[in-house]
Amino acid sequence: MQSNIIDGRAISAAIKEEVREQTRALKEERRIVPGLAFLLVGENAASQSYVRSKERACELCGFHSTTVTLPATASEEEILARVDNWNIDPDIHGILVQLPLPDHVDEDRVIESISPLKDVDGFHPVNVGKLVIGQEALLPCTPAGIHQLLLRSGIETAGKHVVVVGRSNIVGKPIANILLQKAAGANAVVTVAHSAAGDIAAYTRQADILIVATGRVNTVTADMVKDGVVVVDVGINRVEDASREKGYRIVGDVDYEGVGAKAAAITPVPGGVGPMTIAMLMQNTLNAARRAADGR
Ligand code: NAP
């Protein structure tokens, strides 16, 4: 592997191994098995596949997991009732409602119905607020994974200029807030650019660390970065590729070849940020189980 590549697969595997080991110790010392509940609504193939991967990770880490699938016609009340049952179930430490939900369901209302202590996706407004004001919180998994990639690759963030391109609630805003905190492994100067920024190159060229989450191929090309930049590419895009059996391949939001040639470090797609999300879900669930055991 090229020397400047940040290997998300290896880092994710290391985190899952740590979680597995700590779960074993939690079982032995305190008789607690972390439990994660999944709610799937409807038959979205991508959602089913994501939940299967998460179930496999639970098995690997030694967690107990349960999946309930409701039909796409399930009412909001049925969904809320299911979440309520898990909110009071002492064997369940994490609740994950796989998004998106059908159009007739108010996603915000469902997310807000999850106990913040079991909100292992980190989307509940209580956890979002705690993140912003620097209190201990369950962090959303993809940004938490990006943070771990930087930490574990020994990339200094203190005093560095981090430019985030994209301001979604699941990636851009939370990673900006994580890196802005006055804390070890953060303490960066953060700029957030988005589609109203006009010439985004004016921002990306100033970045010491550039995090790109737009969902658009080639949002950042080589002329838009300085030498020695660290690049985290969050994008997952399908592009047609007749040479592949499936007829497509997956690329990120960054021109990997061009930008990679100038970068001090870069995440590949696939194999960069992608594998981190599930690892952080496992870490969040273990943390939630520990906190429950401590009565916090
Ligand atoms: P999103 O909700 O669509 O947000 C995209 C953001 O990018 C928006 O803030 C948008 O600006 C901004 N944007 C779009 N085009 C731009 C441009 N040309 N210049 C500057 N800003 C631009 O997307 P998301 O959910 O954050 O996801 C982003 C990408 O990450 C997607 O490819 C997604 O598949 C991937 N992703 C990967 C993982 C993972 O690896 N596990 C997890 C989540 C997401 P406005 O706000 O002005 O519209």
Side-chain angles (χ1 to χ4, degrees), residues 165 200 204 212-221 224 252-255:
V165 187
I200 62 160
T204 57
V212 189
T214 60
R216 283 177 181 66
V217 178
N218 284 339
T219 301
V220 174
T221 48
M224 295 168 70
D253 294 344
V254 172
D255 165 26

Side-chain angles (χ1 to χ4, degrees), residues 39 68 70 77-87 95:
L39 182 60
V68 167
L70 295 177
E77 300 313 319
E78 284 174 80
I79 295 170
L80 294 173
R82 173 40 64 195
V83 170
D84 271 352
N85 281 337
W86 285 330
N87 277 337
I95 300 170

Side-chain angles (χ1 to χ4, degrees), residues 2 4 210 212 214 216-225 229 231-235 237 249 251-263 266-269:
Q2 207 176 299
N4 66 343
L210 179 62
V212 189
T214 60
R216 283 177 181 66
V217 178
N218 284 339
T219 301
V220 174
T221 48
D223 55 312
M224 295 168 70
V225 298
V229 64
V231 180
V232 177
D233 187 351
V234 189
N237 307 292
R249 69 195 149 89
V251 300
D253 294 344
V254 172
D255 165 26
Y256 181 72
E257 297 303 327
V259 173
K262 289 175 83 174
I266 186 166
T267 60
V269 178

Side-chain angles (χ1 to χ4, degrees), residues 142 165-168 170-171 194-195 200 213-216 234-236 274 277:
T142 301
V165 187
R167 58 175 161 186
S168 70
I170 63 167
V171 186
H194 43 74
S195 69
I200 62 160
T214 60
R216 283 177 181 66
V234 189
I236 302 176
T277 301

Side-chain angles (χ1 to χ4, degrees), residues 178-248:
I178 289 171
L179 294 173
L180 184 62
Q181 295 305 316
K182 192 166 185 174
N187 223 3
V189 176
V190 181
T191 297
V192 182
H194 43 74
S195 69
D199 176 20
I200 62 160
Y203 301 95
T204 57
R205 279 194 199 109
Q206 295 177 38
D208 301 313
I209 300 171
L210 179 62
I211 299 172
V212 189
T214 60
R216 283 177 181 66
V217 178
N218 284 339
T219 301
V220 174
T221 48
D223 55 312
M224 295 168 70
V225 298
K226 66 180 181 187
D227 283 324
V229 64
V230 171
V231 180
V232 177
D233 187 351
V234 189
I236 302 176
N237 307 292
R238 272 187 190 191
V239 295
E240 278 183 35
D241 185 342
S243 71
R244 303 287 173 104
E245 202 179 312
K246 289 180 176 165
Y248 68 85

